[in-house]
Amino acid sequence: MSQVIEQLKQYANKIVDTGLVVGAGGNLSMRDGNIMYLSPSGFDLKEIEDHQWVRVHIETGEVLDDLKPSSEILMHLECFRKRPDITAVLHAHPSYSVGVSSTGQTIPPLFPDYPAMVKSVAYLEYMIPTTHVLADAVAEVIEENDVVVMRNHGVLTVGKTMKEAFFFMQLVEESAKVFTISRTVGNPRILTDEEVEDLRNLSSEKYRQKLLKDAK
Ligand SMILES: [Zn+2]
């Protein structure tokens, strides 16, 4: 089994086990040279067999296998085209992030790891999933952001590795969860711009990498 398939399988399981998607929701892909391996349409992510990951030519968009790829194929392709530095794209529908996004609010920095690790987040208004419109909107912001929150829909993350994309997804969802809890209890104190700046300076790449290494 190739390393790419092995990683896709591992993280497809993790995404479901950590509750980031339910049923056949969510999709993930990895780059291998000019080829993108994408989850097939309509499958429970835990039930995809090794040969069922659909190969797609990144430049032409040609589907190289018989199985139907995820209907979010356009979004995944745009990420790989716009970001030569990444190898993994993850899209999920995590409850707290979707909930917070539906109110039109952004997910604020309430604890250090989030702003230290995630440099910037793009927020998109609601657009019909699987369309060119959504894929184009993602293409417009993905060069500057590793995380895209789609209102009333879900979250997309990209990473140099799938581990990184998954960690970004977890951090965003954890932040949305903490925000929801804090709003239930009272009025949260949000980390100030200065505090965020300090964190990023002191954190530097070392801190970031350490967190990433420790991430399960
Ligand atoms: Zn979706």
Side-chain angles (χ1 to χ4, degrees), residues 25-27 72 75 91-93 129-130 134 150 153-155:
N27 31 76
E72 293 290 14
M75 200 163 77
H91 171 55
H93 306 143
T130 77
L134 178 59
M150 303 157 184
H153 176 182
V155 179

Side-chain angles (χ1 to χ4, degrees), residues 35-77:
I35 302 297
M36 161 177 89
Y37 284 79
L38 176 61
S39 45
S41 179
F43 276 62
D44 181 318
L45 291 181
K46 287 188 99 157
E47 287 169 5
I48 304 168
E49 308 223 1
D50 294 355
H51 66 278
Q52 291 176 315
W53 292 89
V54 183
R55 292 172 305 152
V56 186
H57 195 281
I58 291 173
E59 248 168 73
T60 64
E62 188 189 351
V63 179
L64 304 170
D65 290 307
D66 291 335
L67 214 53
K68 193 168 172 270
S70 159
S71 47
E72 293 290 14
I73 178 174
L74 298 173
M75 200 163 77
H76 286 257
L77 281 173

Side-chain angles (χ1 to χ4, degrees), residues 18-208:
T18 50
L20 293 168
V21 300
V22 175
N27 31 76
L28 65 162
S29 63
M30 282 188 75
R31 187 208 303 271
D32 190 7
N34 296 323
I35 302 297
M36 161 177 89
Y37 284 79
L38 176 61
S39 45
S41 179
F43 276 62
D44 181 318
L45 291 181
K46 287 188 99 157
E47 287 169 5
I48 304 168
E49 308 223 1
D50 294 355
H51 66 278
Q52 291 176 315
W53 292 89
V54 183
R55 292 172 305 152
V56 186
H57 195 281
I58 291 173
E59 248 168 73
T60 64
E62 188 189 351
V63 179
L64 304 170
D65 290 307
D66 291 335
L67 214 53
K68 193 168 172 270
S70 159
S71 47
E72 293 290 14
I73 178 174
L74 298 173
M75 200 163 77
H76 286 257
L77 281 173
E78 288 298 345
C79 292
F80 288 120
R81 288 170 182 164
K82 294 278 179 186
R83 292 284 300 272
D85 60 311
I86 59 130
T87 70
V89 180
L90 183 52
H91 171 55
H93 306 143
S95 328
Y96 288 95
S97 302
V98 174
V100 172
S101 83
S102 72
T103 69
Q105 294 176 82
T106 56
I107 303 166
L110 294 177
F111 59 92
D113 289 4
Y114 179 47
M117 298 282 302
V118 179
K119 298 290 186 256
S120 69
V121 179
Y123 291 86
L124 300 181
E125 275 303 315
Y126 178 73
M127 291 165 217
I128 302 178
T130 77
T131 57
H132 258 292
V133 180
L134 178 59
D136 290 349
V138 169
E140 253 176 57
V141 296
I142 202 65
E143 273 172 296
E144 303 294 329
N145 300 279
D146 293 325
V147 177
V148 183
V149 176
M150 303 157 184
R151 191 169 183 180
N152 295 91
H153 176 182
V155 179
L156 175 140
T157 61
V158 299
K160 290 182 173 53
T161 59
M162 185 53 88
K163 186 175 191 171
E164 187 177 59
F166 180 73
F167 194 41
F168 287 158
M169 183 68 74
Q170 278 190 307
L171 267 179
V172 172
E173 177 61 357
E174 183 66 15
S175 303
K177 186 175 175 181
V178 169
F179 181 49
T180 307
I181 293 168
S182 66
R183 287 300 296 266
T184 311
V185 177
N187 257 332
R189 187 183 83 83
I190 294 166
L191 293 177
T192 64
D193 290 349
E194 200 187 355
E195 286 166 339
V196 166
E197 199 51 42
D198 286 349
L199 271 170
R200 285 183 177 156
N201 289 338
L202 117 119
S203 68
S204 71
E205 282 302 294
K206 248 188 202 161
Y207 178 59
R208 194 171 171 275

